[in-house]
Amino acid sequence: MSTFTAPKGIPEYYPPESAGFLAVRDTLADAARRAGYGYIELPLFEDTALFARGVGESTDVVSKEMYTFADRGGRSVTLRPEGTAGVMRSVIENGLDRGQLPVKLYYGGAFFRYERPQAGRYRQLQQVGVEAIGVDDPALDAEVIAVADEGYRRLGLTGHRIELTSLGDETCRPEYRARLQEFLRGLSLDEDTRNRVEINPLRVLDDKRPEVQEQLTGVPLMIDHLSDTAREHYEAVKAHLADLGVPFTENPRLVRGLDYYTKTTFEFVHDGLGSQSGIGGGGRYDGLMAELGGQEFSGVGFGLGVDRTLLACRTEGLSVGDQARCEVYCVPLGEPAKRRLVSVAGALRAAGVRVDLSYGGKGLKGAMKAADRSGARYAVVLGERDIEEGSAQLKDLGSGEQRPIALDSAVDEIRAAVSGASEVAP
Ligand code: HAM
């Protein structure tokens, strides 16, 4: 007999932890919905060329981390490593950009990157993302950042900060790139890094090794070489963020792992997570749509890591999603009691009460233990004598108080008790 294990580097969420996962995902998505973003469900895999072109051949994501395979028809497909390229493909293909602008979309789900697994770094990761396409307005950049911040705050997170910079536009970026390369070529670097200087020089700024960092004093920074348009845009984003009351730190050395960014870029960093501290990130990508065969439309968006955000909540001791599994736990003693309580449970569920029931003919002691473990506020106990008397016992599992309720009106009485309890709950 063989035993199976989950693939390496993939987090699984099961009760009770999975409730926290859902709470994080739903809270972040809800922040997007409240700002008018509509849901888009995307394919889990796409044509490999879409990511190569959209995300950039020189990025680690494309060159080292993609799950790429040939399908049975011999097409090269890739499990989506991120969401932005797929959203753009869908917007172009389905003509969503011919309607009202900006097109505002949000998405969620699993993404795949063949990274070295460690705490907070997975091969199947979960994100909630938004994209706002077709309007180049700095207020939209600020909105995107504020939506993410609002999502984190709703979860109760306080230990995160926003790092912000501008990566310039098509007029200032090439000039800056040449200037940066000239500086980096004068340093003493190993062969790999020298290659990176030629292919993706910005990434060198992100090199964590002290021997590289100490040579970077005086390195030219994009922020000091912005075109007038890019500078005005950046100043306006900062002003809007100030108006929104969203605090941020400027980090002119901020480097993102994907090639499509222009102008505003940002990362949400949480210091409680060790090296995998990026709980979310995003920015503007003004050339991406045209690059993928669409109109010359700008766009801005974010991807928030659900797994890492959940870890951040845990490090802050936040009890996200800790709602009890059910509100009422039914304890039937004997077959006739089971028939009655099964139907009471069904009617309560139909009325919106969360109900579980003790199955398998457990005795009173075992069933009451299960009731306690379920986190329910009330247990409904029904024995043969109770049926004869036309009543059931409603036990408040918090206070231990127990009182009989009429069996015929059990559903209404339990509903009243539950809604009374939730009204007085803190
Ligand atoms: P990203 O920075 O590559 O951006 O990923 C966004 C977030 O996903 C990260 O901040 C992190 O929280 C989470 N994440 C990424 N890789 C892993 C991993 N291996 N394990 C756990 N979590 C991970 C994007 O994907 C862009 N598409 C975001 C965007 C949307 N930019 C504009 N629009």
Side-chain angles (χ1 to χ4, degrees):
M1 227 176 66
S2 61
T3 47
F4 297 105
T5 54
K8 198 173 159 200
I10 298 188
E12 292 183 284
Y13 298 100
Y14 38 82
E17 178 85 348
S18 51
F21 171 83
L22 286 179
V24 169
R25 192 192 64 185
D26 296 347
T27 305
L28 297 177
D30 200 43
R33 274 193 295 270
R34 252 181 292 130
Y37 290 78
Y39 182 69
I40 182 165
E41 175 71 28
L42 295 163
L44 284 184
F45 62 89
E46 301 252 13
D47 187 337
T48 302
L50 171 69
F51 301 117
R53 186 112 69 88
V55 176
E57 301 265 15
S58 69
T59 60
D60 282 357
V61 170
V62 169
S63 63
K64 300 186 189 151
E65 297 168 2
M66 295 210 298
Y67 279 88
T68 297
F69 56 98
D71 72 6
R72 287 175 186 273
R75 300 169 201 89
S76 178
V77 293
T78 294
L79 298 184
R80 60 184 190 181
E82 61 97 52
T84 313
V87 170
M88 297 311 275
R89 195 260 320 129
S90 181
V91 168
I92 298 168
E93 184 177 346
N94 298 304
L96 305 184
D97 51 341
R98 293 198 292 267
Q100 195 182 312
L101 299 177
V103 183
K104 291 172 78 172
L105 299 167
Y106 82 95
Y107 52 89
F111 295 86
F112 305 87
R113 297 181 187 180
Y114 195 82
E115 295 198 70
R116 204 159 39 77
Q118 65 176 76
R121 187 164 69 196
Y122 308 117
R123 289 182 173 169
Q124 178 178 303
L125 57 119
Q126 299 269 347
Q127 285 185 9
V128 167
V130 306
E131 314 294 349
I133 301 151
V135 174
D136 184 5
D137 184 338
L140 205 48
D141 305 38
E143 174 185 282
V144 162
I145 296 171
V147 164
D149 190 55
E150 168 68 12
Y152 291 133
R153 283 186 192 285
R154 284 225 155 203
L155 287 165
L157 277 183
T158 52
H160 62 285
R161 63 170 189 282
I162 300 167
E163 297 199 346
L164 183 74
T165 197
S166 171
L167 290 180
D169 59 21
E170 73 287 352
T171 54
C172 54
R173 184 93 77 91
E175 224 172 89
Y176 167 70
R177 186 185 149 101
R179 197 187 289 259
L180 177 64
Q181 280 176 321
E182 197 182 301
F183 177 92
L184 296 174
R185 283 185 195 125
L187 306 183
S188 125
L189 302 167
D190 60 85
E191 196 186 328
D192 265 3
T193 316
R194 280 206 308 273
N195 285 339
R196 195 167 305 141
V197 170
E198 301 313 318
I199 299 165
N200 202 339
L202 268 179
R203 293 305 304 273
V204 180
L205 299 184
D206 200 28
D207 197 316
K208 302 281 184 305
R209 290 172 299 173
E211 65 270 27
V212 176
Q213 277 303 321
E214 67 203 18
Q215 297 188 69
L216 291 178
T217 327
V219 68
L221 295 170
M222 182 72 250
I223 207 77
D224 299 323
H225 298 90
L226 294 178
S227 67
D228 289 346
T229 334
R231 170 149 304 285
E232 270 165 34
H233 187 99
Y234 186 52
E235 294 303 327
V237 173
K238 290 191 287 180
H240 286 302
L241 285 174
D243 292 344
L244 283 159
V246 174
F248 58 88
T249 319
E250 288 181 76
N251 177 2
R253 290 200 184 186
L254 178 65
V255 177
R256 305 266 303 125
L258 314 163
D259 268 0
Y260 46 62
Y261 292 113
T262 55
K263 294 187 189 146
T264 318
T265 38
F266 56 87
E267 213 154 79
F268 284 80
V269 180
H270 196 285
D271 287 327
L273 296 185
S275 65
Q276 303 308 308
S277 59
I279 55 172
R284 184 162 274 286
Y285 42 86
D286 285 350
L288 181 59
M289 190 150 173
E291 178 67 34
L292 296 177
Q295 310 190 55
E296 293 271 349
F297 270 1
S298 58
V300 59
F302 64 57
L304 310 181
V306 177
D307 314 272
R308 286 189 195 167
T309 304
L310 178 60
L311 290 173
C313 290
R314 298 288 182 234
T315 65
E316 287 196 24
L318 298 170
S319 52
V320 283
D322 280 357
Q323 188 191 40
R325 197 158 61 72
C326 60
E327 296 159 288
V328 175
Y329 196 89
C330 295
V331 177
L333 302 169
E335 276 309 306
K338 196 201 283 179
R339 289 201 62 183
R340 293 300 290 262
L341 284 190
V342 163
S343 94
V344 167
L348 283 170
R349 287 173 188 151
V353 181
R354 291 177 296 116
V355 185
D356 200 0
L357 192 135
S358 159
Y359 292 101
K362 279 196 194 78
L364 182 62
K365 212 168 144 206
M368 290 311 286
K369 240 191 211 162
D372 276 332
R373 254 188 256 128
S374 75
R377 176 70 200 268
Y378 292 103
V380 183
V381 184
L382 188 67
E384 261 166 51
R385 261 257 301 281
D386 296 314
I387 296 178
E388 276 162 27
E389 288 167 8
S391 63
Q393 302 299 320
L394 183 66
K395 182 168 183 182
D396 183 326
L397 294 170
S399 67
E401 273 167 37
Q402 184 167 317
R403 64 179 168 90
I405 53 173
L407 200 44
D408 285 344
S409 55
V411 172
D412 290 339
E413 293 214 34
I414 297 166
R415 280 179 67 187
V418 168
S419 54
S422 59
E423 268 159 30
V424 295

